[in-house]
């Protein structure tokens, strides 16, 4: 899907392009443009040359994928996001809108951090299975769960397990999200966490093994069909060549090119050769079937024992990977003196003493005025709650605006949404009216 970002005065827009002509008089479109569903982003539509563009207002809101680029999902985060999805689906059903129009990819889900409210993009004309989209989104969440928090693990894996069940229903998901957890001992919590993971992995591998079996048998059927077509064409070609030779000999005899006795001898020889050839082919196919009887064909397919062994091996590899990941979460021994530099890059106020310096020590430094959501606080009314971020990569620094209302400029140029600007020494950086100089 083609996407763009645009800044218009004090607003930021996400633009999605559609390929087909859109009926603006349809009920679904009118409900979307009328902002009837509270959890959908405000939207307007423009059409050019048979193609339509949807403008979603994302001012001062952050996409889920950018917010959790380096941050882990805790239980409260999962309840906010998963609960927001369920609430939006129910709202759309209440207004008789098709939930299959929702875009449940993390880059199209936007969070208002201050209100703790999740907003979604709705694409008219799109019609996908909302349950399948939800399952794919939970697969995106699982690796980023904070595995040190038992409640987050139980909630995340519990919801994912529900999505794999054949009786998947939104009420079951709501039950997992909102049910109260009883206080249990640490040992019991660890057992619950392990069991949740194990059940999810068993369901996941059961599904994958079933898919692999189906694919295997489908491949076998396709190969058999291809082989039958090949044999059929060989028979047709053989018959055509025989018929052609037969008619050529008849024609030669008819026009007097061959003596009558020779024509008869050749005809008999051809008939005899054809009969011997057919008999040899029948014997060959009979012997081949004996050696490779369809009943014995199953010997080429992994027997149940081998399938179970393969499933067990995959489970063991998966558990080893999970254990290694959890062990890494406890930290590794590192040499503090390795890859040392003189000091972190810094943003220094251009008016001495007016603003505190911002030290860029972390891989990602989020800048804004909301203390609970950013790493560096700039307490000015023109600065957005979450204004911009600076990402450090191999001792280089990249600045990007985060849908701020008043924008971020470098050396007087306004940054576009989605742009990663490579900061250079002594660049002048303005977060609205907060003016800094970048010192590397």
């Amino acid at each position: 899907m083609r996407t763009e970002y645009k800044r218009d005065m004090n607003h930021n827009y996400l633009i999605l392009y559609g390929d087909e002509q859109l009926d603006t008089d349809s009920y679904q479109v009118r409900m979307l443009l009328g902002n009837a569903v509270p959890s959908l982003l405000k939207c307007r539509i423009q059409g050019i040359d048979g193609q339509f563009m949807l403008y979603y207002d994302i001012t001062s809101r952050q996409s889920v994928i950018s917010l959790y680029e380096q941050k882990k999902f805790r239980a409260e985060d999962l309840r906010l996001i998963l609960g927001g999805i369920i609430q939006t689906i129910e709202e759309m059903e209440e207004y008789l809108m098709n939930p299959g129009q929702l875009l449940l990819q993390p880059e199209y889900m936007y969070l208002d951090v201050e209100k703790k409210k999740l907003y979604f993009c709705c694409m008219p004309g799109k019609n996908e299975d909302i349950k399948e989209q939800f399952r794919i989104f939970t697969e995106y969440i699982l690796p980023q769960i904070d595995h040190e928090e038992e409640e987050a693990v139980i909630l995340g894996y519990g919801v994912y397990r529900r999505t794999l069940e054949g009786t998947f229903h939104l009420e079951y998901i709501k039950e997992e999200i909102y049910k109260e957890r009883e206080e249990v001992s640490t040992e019991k919590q660890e057992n619950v966490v392990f069991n949740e993971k194990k059940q999810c992995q068993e369901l996941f591998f059961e599904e994958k093994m079933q898919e692999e079996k189906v694919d295997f048998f489908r491949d076998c059927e396709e190969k058999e069909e291809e082989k039958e077509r090949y044999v059929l064409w060989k028979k047709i070609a053989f018959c055509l060549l025989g018929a052609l030779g037969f008619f050529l000999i008849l024609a030669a005899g008819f026009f007097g090119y061959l003596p009558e006795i020779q024509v008869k001898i050749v005809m008999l020889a051809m008939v005899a050769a054809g009969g011997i050839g057919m008999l040899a082919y029948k014997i060959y196919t009979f012997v081949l079937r004996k050696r490779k009887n369809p009943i014995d064909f199953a010997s080429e397919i992994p027997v149940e024992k081998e399938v179970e062994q393969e499933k067990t091996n995959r489970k063991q590899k998966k558990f080893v990977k999970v254990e290694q990941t959890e062990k890494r979460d406890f930290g590794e021994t590192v040499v503090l003196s390795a890859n040392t530099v003189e000091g972190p890059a810094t943003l220094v106020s251009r008016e001495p003493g007016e603003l505190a310096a911002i030290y860029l020590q972390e891989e990602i430094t989020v800048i804004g005025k909301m203390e609970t959501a950013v790493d560096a606080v700039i307490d000015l009314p023109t600065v957005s709650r979450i204004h911009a971020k600076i990402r450090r990569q191999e001792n280089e620094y990249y600045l990007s605006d985060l849908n701020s209302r008043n924008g971020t400029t470098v050396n007087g140029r306004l940054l576009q949404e989605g742009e990663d600007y490579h900061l250079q020494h002594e660049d002048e950086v303005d977060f609205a009216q907060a003016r800094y100089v970048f010192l590397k």
Side-chain angles (χ1 to χ4, degrees), residues 131 161-169 172 203 207:
K131 297 177 181 178
R161 176 170 51 83
R162 288 289 192 179
T163 64
L164 295 177
E165 294 176 352
T167 56
F168 172 84
H169 196 277
Y172 300 152
L203 285 170
E207 184 182 72

Side-chain angles (χ1 to χ4, degrees), residues 311-326:
K311 187 167 72 171
T312 304
N313 293 340
R314 295 192 179 192
K315 287 182 183 179
Q316 290 175 350
K317 292 179 182 179
K318 187 72 175 179
F319 278 120
V320 169
K321 185 176 180 181
V322 170
E323 290 175 1
Q324 290 175 347
T325 303
E326 292 177 349

Side-chain angles (χ1 to χ4, degrees), residues 340-434:
T340 57
V341 295
E342 294 181 359
T346 310
L347 290 173
V348 180
S349 175
R350 281 162 43 195
E351 289 78 19
E354 182 177 341
L355 298 168
I358 299 175
Y359 298 98
L360 307 175
Q361 297 174 316
E362 306 297 332
E363 290 187 5
I364 293 182
T365 302
V366 180
I367 300 167
K369 68 180 179 183
M370 188 175 179
E371 295 184 8
T372 57
V374 300
D375 304 303
V377 179
I378 303 176
D379 192 11
L380 290 179
T382 55
V383 175
S384 296
R385 296 185 294 269
I386 300 179
H387 196 105
K389 71 177 180 180
I390 296 178
R391 176 172 54 88
R392 177 168 59 87
Q393 183 177 357
E394 297 180 355
N395 209 31
E396 298 295 329
Y397 295 83
Y398 300 86
L399 170 66
S400 56
D401 184 76
L402 294 177
N403 302 324
S404 64
R405 184 172 295 276
N406 295 307
T408 302
T409 61
V410 180
N411 300 326
R413 184 179 73 82
L414 185 67
L415 295 185
Q416 299 299 316
E417 172 59 30
E419 178 183 359
D420 277 347
Y421 178 83
H422 186 190
L423 288 170
Q424 304 297 327
H425 184 61
E426 296 187 353
D427 275 345
E428 295 183 356
V429 180
D430 296 347
F431 306 105
Q433 294 178 340

Side-chain angles (χ1 to χ4, degrees), residues 303-316:
V303 295
E304 190 65 25
K305 185 176 180 181
E306 294 174 349
V307 171
E308 292 297 328
Q309 183 63 37
E310 177 68 16
K311 187 167 72 171
T312 304
N313 293 340
R314 295 192 179 192
K315 287 182 183 179
Q316 290 175 350

Side-chain angles (χ1 to χ4, degrees), residues 180-197:
E180 296 182 359
R181 311 286 178 181
E182 60 179 4
E183 294 293 332
V184 295
S185 64
T186 303
E187 182 178 356
K188 187 174 181 181
Q189 284 182 346
E190 291 176 352
N191 290 335
V192 172
V193 171
F194 178 79
N195 289 334
E196 287 287 356
K197 290 182 180 180

Side-chain angles (χ1 to χ4, degrees), residues 13-14 72 88 92 177 213 219 248 289 320 428-429:
Y13 295 97
L14 165 66
K72 294 292 186 180
T88 305
M92 293 186 71
I177 295 173
K213 285 183 180 179
D219 291 341
L248 286 175
R289 287 178 182 175
V320 169
E428 295 183 356
V429 180

